[in-house]
Amino acid sequence: GDSVTQMEGPVTLSEEAFLTINCTYTATGYPSLFWYVQYPGEGLQLLLKATKADDKGSNKGFEATYRKETTSFHLEKGSVQVSDSAVYFCALSEGYNFNKFYFGSGTKLNVKP
Amino acid sequence: EPEVTQTPSHQVTQMGQEVILRCVPISNHLYFYWYRQILGQKVEFLVSFYNNEISEKSEIFDDQFSVERPDGSNFTLKIRSTKLEDSAMYFCASSEFGQGAHGYTFGSGTRLTVV
C-alpha cells in the first residue's frame, strides 16, 4: 500500500544553517507529493507541492524535487531562520484516489538563534 | 486568508462518553475530511465527505464514528462511546476540489484526551 517515511526528529540547527529533511514514499501509481508545516498552536499549512516526476516545488525559500527514480521528495532550505521552527510533514496523494492523503510521521525542526 | 476553524482546541472526556468535535470549513469548499494523529504516530485519514454523504472512510472509522453537516457551515465528527485509544489530535480539512493534487486547508486541530 501507499506510505510515506520521513526522518525522525527533532532536528536542531543554528540560524542560517542548511536544512535537509528526508522523505521517501511508496506508491502504486503516480502520486502528487506535498510538504505541510505546522507552526506551534496552528493547523497544517501547505508549504509546497509537486505533481509529477522532476517537478520542483518551492515556497518561502524551501524547495523539494520529486525524484521518481529514488522515490524521494526531500525538503531543503539554504538558510533557516528561528521562525522556521515547526513540525514538517511529508505527504502523498494518489492520482486514482483523490480523496486521501498519506502522511509521514512529521519532523520537528528547532532553529536556535 | 480563509481558515478552517476547529472547536474546542482541547477536550477531555471520560471513557464511554460521547464527544462531538466541530469544524467550520472554508465557505466555498465542497469537500470535507477528518484526519487524526495519535501522539508520536502518523497523521491518518478517517473520512471524506462530499454532497452530504461519506465518499470514503478508513478502517479506523467504525460504527462508533459518524460525521454530519448539520447546517451550511458546520462539519462535525461524533464519537459515540469513546475509548482510551481514541485519544489523539483530530484535524478537520476542506478543499474546493476533490482532486488531492490541489491540497487541503487544515484546521489547527482538537486534542481529545480520553481518561
Side-chain angles (χ1 to χ4, degrees):
Chain A
D2 294 354
S3 66
V4 175
T5 303
Q6 61 182 105
M7 62 188 287
E8 291 197 19
V11 173
T12 301
L13 296 173
S14 297
E15 211 165 19
E16 299 183 4
F18 185 86
L19 169 71
T20 300
I21 300 178
N22 289 337
C23 171
T24 57
Y25 67 89
T26 303
T28 52
Y30 302 94
S32 295
L33 302 174
F34 304 80
W35 279 98
Y36 277 84
V37 58
Q38 185 178 32
Y39 298 104
E42 299 185 18
L44 295 167
Q45 300 176 21
L46 178 62
L47 179 61
L48 55 83
K49 67 179 183 183
T51 57
K52 61 183 188 296
D54 300 325
D55 270 3
K56 179 186 284 188
S58 60
N59 186 24
K60 300 181 182 179
F62 290 89
E63 55 183 38
T65 301
Y66 188 141
R67 301 277 187 211
K68 192 165 186 286
E69 63 275 14
T70 54
T71 61
S72 64
F73 193 56
H74 305 320
L75 182 69
E76 297 182 335
K77 186 175 185 182
S79 176
V80 293
Q81 306 300 312
V82 172
S83 57
D84 293 327
S85 298
V87 181
Y88 292 82
F89 293 89
C90 186
L92 73 80
S93 176
E94 275 281 17
Y96 65 82
N97 188 358
F98 294 132
N99 283 336
K100 190 186 298 183
F101 273 52
Y102 297 86
F103 283 87
S105 52
T107 302
K108 186 171 184 179
L109 171 65
N110 296 316
V111 180
K112 300 185 298 185
Chain B
E1 190 169 329
E3 290 183 344
V4 173
T5 306
Q6 288 187 245
T7 55
S9 56
H10 190 187
Q11 179 150 4
V12 181
T13 188
Q14 290 204 325
M15 194 168 53
Q17 295 296 304
E18 175 183 286
V19 294
I20 297 176
L21 309 184
R22 300 181 192 280
C23 170
V24 179
I26 292 174
S27 60
N28 66 329
H29 285 187
L30 302 175
Y31 298 82
F32 314 112
Y33 314 87
W34 284 100
Y35 284 74
R36 79 171 186 191
Q37 185 183 30
I38 295 171
L39 189 63
Q41 298 185 26
K42 294 186 178 185
V43 178
E44 302 171 292
F45 170 78
L46 291 178
V47 66
S48 59
F49 190 87
Y50 170 72
N51 200 25
N52 282 321
E53 61 183 26
I54 291 173
S55 50
E56 187 173 357
K57 59 184 180 181
S58 71
E59 292 175 354
I60 304 166
F61 195 88
D62 61 22
D63 293 344
Q64 293 299 311
F65 290 88
S66 63
V67 288
E68 195 177 28
R69 189 153 162 81
D71 51 43
S73 59
N74 289 285
F75 179 53
T76 61
L77 174 69
K78 183 193 293 186
I79 308 175
R80 198 160 298 128
S81 176
T82 49
K83 307 185 194 70
L84 294 176
E85 54 265 36
D86 293 328
S87 296
M89 179 74 90
Y90 288 81
F91 292 105
C92 174
S94 68
S95 64
E96 187 175 0
F97 305 101
Q99 293 186 1
H102 294 276
Y104 304 158
T105 302
F106 283 87
S108 55
T110 294
R111 181 168 296 285
L112 176 66
T113 303
V114 182
V115 297

